[in-house]
Amino acid sequence: MSFFWGAMVKIFFARDKTSANKLSADLKRGKLKRGYHGTYADDLQTANAEIVQKNWMNIIAYIVPGGILSFRSALDLCLIPYENNKMVVFMTSTYNKTITLPGLVIKIYSGDNKHFTEQIHPDLLRTNEARTLLENLSATRRSRGIKTV
């Protein structure tokens, strides 16, 4: 089990069976609330969407291990407004997938997640400056006013 600090909120991640069992027990006792599979917070008052948006780097590093921030997310290093009061973050990994969390959509595109990267967080990389600029010049389609791949 590990945690990260964010605005006085502890975020816990179930990294193995033992920590998952402990976190699940704490959830049942009302000490924690669940945000997404294997992610918990000790702040029972704040909305899950707000907790996710304030702690997004820690959370996406856990949910998409080996994934890297890419496209506009790598350039801006912030969440991008999306639809229905949600935000979006773009990542590259070994698969295509869209993951929806409270307040956040993670768009994962299949691609090279090993080369031309730089560390920005203990468990998270982004594309380096040259690659980021090239990615953001790529042909795209526009949807809801944001650039998508």
Side-chain angles (χ1 to χ4, degrees), residues 14-48:
R15 303 227 184 246
D16 55 37
K17 184 76 170 160
T18 303
S19 64
N21 290 339
K22 181 183 181 329
L23 292 169
S24 181
D26 287 345
L27 176 69
K28 288 177 185 167
R29 285 195 293 271
K31 293 182 176 184
L32 298 175
K33 68 178 176 180
R34 184 171 176 239
Y36 187 74
H37 305 294
T39 65
Y40 301 83
D42 68 349
D43 182 343
L44 303 178
Q45 307 304 318
T46 306
N48 279 349

Side-chain angles (χ1 to χ4, degrees), residues 6-144:
M8 302 304 293
V9 174
K10 288 184 186 174
I11 306 295
F12 299 90
F13 300 104
R15 303 227 184 246
D16 55 37
K17 184 76 170 160
T18 303
S19 64
N21 290 339
K22 181 183 181 329
L23 292 169
S24 181
D26 287 345
L27 176 69
K28 288 177 185 167
R29 285 195 293 271
K31 293 182 176 184
L32 298 175
K33 68 178 176 180
R34 184 171 176 239
Y36 187 74
H37 305 294
T39 65
Y40 301 83
D42 68 349
D43 182 343
L44 303 178
Q45 307 304 318
T46 306
N48 279 349
E50 187 177 338
I51 292 172
V52 168
Q53 289 174 359
K54 286 183 178 178
N55 298 279
W56 68 277
M57 277 195 188
N58 298 326
I59 293 168
I60 67 169
Y62 171 77
I63 293 174
V64 189
I68 60 171
L69 286 179
S70 54
F71 302 97
R72 184 169 167 196
S73 297
L75 185 65
D76 296 344
L77 282 183
C78 64
L79 298 176
I80 302 158
Y82 196 51
E83 59 187 22
N84 300 326
N85 295 322
K86 290 191 179 206
M87 305 298 270
V88 67
V89 64
F90 297 101
M91 299 187 75
T92 299
S93 192
T94 57
Y95 55 92
N96 288 311
K97 188 173 186 177
T98 298
I99 300 172
T100 303
L101 294 101
L104 180 65
V105 175
I106 305 169
K107 295 274 192 179
I108 306 165
Y109 297 100
S110 180
D112 180 3
N113 63 337
K114 302 283 186 222
H115 300 97
F116 307 106
T117 62
E118 61 187 24
Q119 193 92 31
I120 57 163
H121 180 278
D123 298 316
L124 187 62
L125 302 172
R126 74 171 174 178
T127 54
N128 67 13
E129 184 178 17
R131 178 175 168 180
T132 299
L133 293 172
L134 288 172
E135 285 178 344
N136 284 289
L137 286 173
S138 63
T140 63
R141 64 181 189 271
R142 289 209 173 256
S143 173
R144 294 177 210 79

